[in-house]
């Protein structure tokens, strides 16, 4: 198995009427140095289609419901090391403004809170670096691909195609 064969997803749920993005505040876990903000997302289950995984994670983590067909791939990140120290992963980040439901902390055992964040404001801090890079790229209109953890001279994150 290739070290980056693990797949994960994130969803930028963007309420265009209020220009806000759904964010999730993770509690400290065994694989994080402390609480950190991110966008709704998680692991792709074996055999699961990536867009279906993204829609599932959006609902499981934030209570929002989106059809996989309403998700648009906006950024992909290849990370050298994963959240759990088990090797690299590839993160597929989707965006959607087509969703229903109310933003809710569906997993209070994992998350401190969920919150709408105005897109013009500075992103909440600390934020997972891969989520931060994806949201910033989305808001700036690109690029569509970046890496994390390979280029230590740039703080470990490199945008490709800029």
């Amino acid at each position: 198995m290739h070290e980056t064969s693990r797949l994960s997803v994130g969803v930028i749920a963007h309420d265009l009427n209020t220009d806000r993005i759904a964010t999730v505040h993770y509690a400290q876990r065994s694989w994080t140095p402390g609480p950190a903000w991110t966008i709704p997302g998680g692991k792709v289950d074996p055999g699961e289609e990536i867009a279906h995984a993204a829609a599932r994670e959006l609902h499981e983590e934030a209570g929002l419901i989106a059809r996989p067909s309403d998700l648009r791939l906006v950024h992909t990140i290849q990370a050298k090391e994963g959240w759990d120290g088990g090797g690299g992963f590839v993160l597929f980040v989707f965006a959607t403004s087509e969703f229903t439901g109310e933003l809710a902390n569906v997993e209070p055992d994992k998350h401190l809170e969920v919150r709408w964040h105005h897109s013009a404001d500075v992103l909440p801090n600390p934020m997972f670096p891969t989520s931060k890079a994806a949201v910033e790229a989305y808001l700036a209109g690109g690029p569509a691909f970046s890496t994390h953890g390979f280029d230590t001279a740039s703080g470990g994150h490199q945008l490709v195609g800029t």
Side-chain angles (χ1 to χ4, degrees):
M1 177 164 82
H2 189 272
E3 71 176 23
T4 58
S5 63
R6 296 188 307 157
L7 306 177
S8 60
V9 291
V11 180
I12 300 169
H14 192 172
D15 181 340
L16 297 177
N17 293 327
T18 62
D19 198 22
R20 297 181 304 168
I21 294 171
T23 57
V24 176
H25 197 192
Y26 263 85
Q28 184 167 349
R29 311 288 287 181
S30 62
W31 45 268
T32 62
W37 289 92
T38 188
I39 54 177
K43 298 175 193 171
V44 177
D45 291 335
E48 186 177 26
E49 288 185 35
I50 293 169
H52 287 262
R56 175 183 52 76
E57 288 287 349
L58 178 64
H59 185 249
E60 287 178 359
E61 291 207 336
L64 301 175
I65 301 167
R67 294 182 306 211
S69 60
D70 288 332
L71 300 175
R72 178 175 52 97
L73 183 65
V74 295
H75 199 78
T76 304
I77 299 176
Q78 179 187 8
K80 187 173 182 177
E81 184 59 45
W83 55 90
D84 56 2
F89 69 97
V90 177
L91 172 64
F92 297 90
V93 180
F94 294 85
T96 187
S97 59
E98 301 293 324
F99 52 85
T100 59
E102 294 294 322
L103 186 66
N105 189 357
V106 183
E107 297 180 310
D109 58 319
K110 289 173 54 178
H111 307 136
L112 299 172
E113 66 178 306
V114 295
R115 183 188 316 165
W116 287 109
H117 184 83
H118 196 275
S119 71
D121 295 340
V122 173
L123 291 170
N125 196 26
M127 189 169 197
F128 290 173
T130 50
S131 295
K132 182 178 181 181
V135 171
E136 288 175 344
Y138 162 76
L139 292 172
F145 176 75
S146 64
T147 61
H148 179 74
F150 292 93
D151 181 8
T152 57
S154 66
H157 197 83
Q158 180 178 356
L159 296 175
V160 180
T162 56

